[in-house]
């Protein structure tokens, strides 16, 4: 059964309990940040920050909205990061999480280019840096527990369940209170669907959510990755052909020069 989390942004109060719980469960250290005058602290993902809260002040439909937004890996149904990983360090599990195996990672950063949400983060402070990201608390899910962030949320802004159940619940809330919610579930179809689903009082583009379309992200990634060996083989073949043609021409020139020398 594929698991998913429904994030109700009308319930989030920006307390950052989820952010603290994530760091505590995963033994990720606090970071020194310099965001005076900004609520977004830290301002983005890093090797030690897998979950964060962003704050938006928005005027929409004649009303002023304060919207706190929890962000983390979206755990796509068809993850581009998995498709571009050449060593199998990233895999999509049937239960929903996109998990990462650091023992296989070579730090190539292809996953960063394959992710439309800007999630995988490189360990810039390490000599041989690898990648780091939210793992959907797969270790807790395996024990029948909620992810640490979901467990810590005091306002029930985060709800864990099967993906089908969470989509149905999102539609129920929107239908029951259309004046409260913008009529769209972000993640239901974006990038082919994700395991983190959002409902919001305002359009998602006003919150900085990317417009990634409905095409699965692994499609373009697979095209590129599948084309890479062909391109390499073609390039090697072309260069080899050019090398042998050049060598043959050089040999012919040398032979002709030797004949002229003997005639003299």
């Amino acid at each position: 059964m594929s698991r998913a989390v429904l994030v109700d942004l009308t319930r989030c109060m920006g307390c950052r309990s989820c952010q603290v719980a994530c760091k505590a469960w995963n033994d990720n250290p606090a970071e020194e940040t310099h965001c005076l005058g900004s609520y977004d602290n830290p301002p983005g993902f890093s090797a030690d920050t897998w979950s964060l809260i962003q704050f938006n002040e928005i005027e929409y439909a004649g009303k002023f909205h304060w919207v706190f937004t929890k962000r983390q890996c979206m755990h796509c149904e068809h993850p581009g990061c998995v498709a571009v990983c050449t060593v199998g360090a990233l895999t999509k599990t049937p239960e929903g999480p996109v998990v990462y195996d650091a023992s296989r990672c070579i730090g190539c950063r292809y996953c960063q280019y394959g992710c439309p949400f800007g999630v995988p983060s490189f360990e810039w402070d390490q000599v041989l840096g690898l990648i780091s990201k939210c793992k959907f608390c797969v270790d807790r899910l395996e024990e029948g527990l909620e992810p640490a962030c979901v467990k810590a949320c005091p306002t029930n802004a985060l709800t864990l369940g099967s993906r089908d159940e969470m989509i149905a619940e999102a539609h129920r809330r929107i239908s029951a209170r259309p004046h409260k919610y913008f009529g769209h579930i972000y993640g239901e179809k974006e990038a082919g669907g994700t395991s983190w689903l959002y409902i919001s009082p305002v359009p998602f583009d006003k919150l900085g959510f990317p417009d990634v379309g409905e095409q699965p992200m692994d499609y373009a990634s697979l095209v590129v990755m599948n084309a890479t060996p062909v391109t390499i083989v073609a390039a090697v073949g072309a260069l080899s052909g050019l090398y042998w043609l050049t060598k043959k021409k050089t040999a012919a020139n040398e032979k002709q020069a030797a004949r002229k020398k003997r005639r003299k």
Side-chain angles (χ1 to χ4, degrees):
M1 177 180 64
S2 180
R3 312 298 293 279
V5 172
L6 174 61
V7 184
D8 190 333
L9 298 182
T10 69
R11 298 183 179 183
C12 180
M13 63 180 185
C15 69
R16 289 200 176 93
S17 293
C18 56
Q19 189 169 309
V20 174
C22 177
K23 281 187 174 290
W25 181 258
N26 294 292
D27 294 323
N28 287 340
E31 296 183 75
E32 181 179 355
T33 57
H34 305 279
C35 299
L36 294 178
S38 171
Y39 188 88
D40 297 340
N41 189 0
F45 297 117
S46 73
D48 294 320
T49 297
W50 303 349
S51 178
L52 53 88
I53 294 291
Q54 296 176 331
F55 174 57
N56 295 273
E57 297 179 274
I58 297 167
E59 184 176 352
Y60 172 69
K63 296 181 180 180
F64 184 76
H65 300 267
W66 281 9
V67 184
F68 299 96
T69 307
K70 182 193 183 308
R71 304 299 294 270
Q72 72 296 302
C73 175
M74 296 292 284
H75 296 277
C76 302
E77 291 290 281
H78 307 278
C81 62
V82 173
V84 300
C85 183
T86 59
V87 293
L90 289 157
T91 54
K92 173 72 174 180
T93 67
E95 294 76 24
V98 175
V99 296
Y100 168 70
D101 184 350
S103 67
R104 293 189 173 190
C105 183
I106 58 175
C108 67
R109 297 173 55 203
Y110 274 18
C111 56
Q112 289 187 300
Y113 300 109
C115 175
F117 302 105
V119 171
S121 299
F122 188 69
E123 297 175 330
W124 293 106
D125 59 339
Q126 302 295 323
V127 176
L128 299 176
L130 299 178
I131 291 295
S132 189
K133 77 169 195 70
C134 160
K135 59 184 181 181
F136 206 156
C137 282
V138 64
D139 49 346
R140 292 177 61 89
L141 291 179
E142 289 173 349
E143 296 298 324
L145 302 173
E146 296 174 315
C149 60
V150 176
K151 180 67 175 179
C153 182
T155 62
N156 294 320
L158 309 176
T159 307
L160 175 72
S162 75
R163 189 170 187 275
D164 290 341
E165 290 172 346
M166 293 301 95
I167 290 174
E169 174 62 15
H171 280 294
R172 186 194 68 76
R173 293 186 193 181
I174 293 173
S175 297
R177 306 185 70 178
H179 61 284
K180 182 178 181 179
Y181 295 100
F182 176 66
H184 180 72
I185 304 170
Y186 191 92
E188 180 180 10
K189 297 180 180 178
E190 275 76 13
T194 64
S195 296
W196 280 72
L197 308 162
Y198 289 79
I199 50 178
S200 164
V202 301
F204 289 97
D205 61 340
K206 294 184 177 295
L207 301 175
F209 281 65
D211 181 6
V212 297
E214 297 182 5
Q215 181 73 32
M217 285 295 107
D218 63 352
Y219 173 76
S221 301
L222 286 170
V223 169
V224 173
M225 294 304 292
N226 289 335
T228 298
V230 176
T231 303
I232 292 175
V233 170
V236 170
L239 290 173
S240 297
L242 180 62
Y243 168 77
W244 286 109
L245 285 173
T246 302
K247 186 175 181 180
K248 185 176 181 180
K249 186 175 181 179
T250 301
N253 290 338
E254 289 177 351
K255 189 174 182 180
Q256 186 176 8
R259 289 177 178 173
K260 290 181 177 179
K261 188 175 181 180
R262 285 197 299 268
R263 290 173 184 173
K264 293 179 180 180

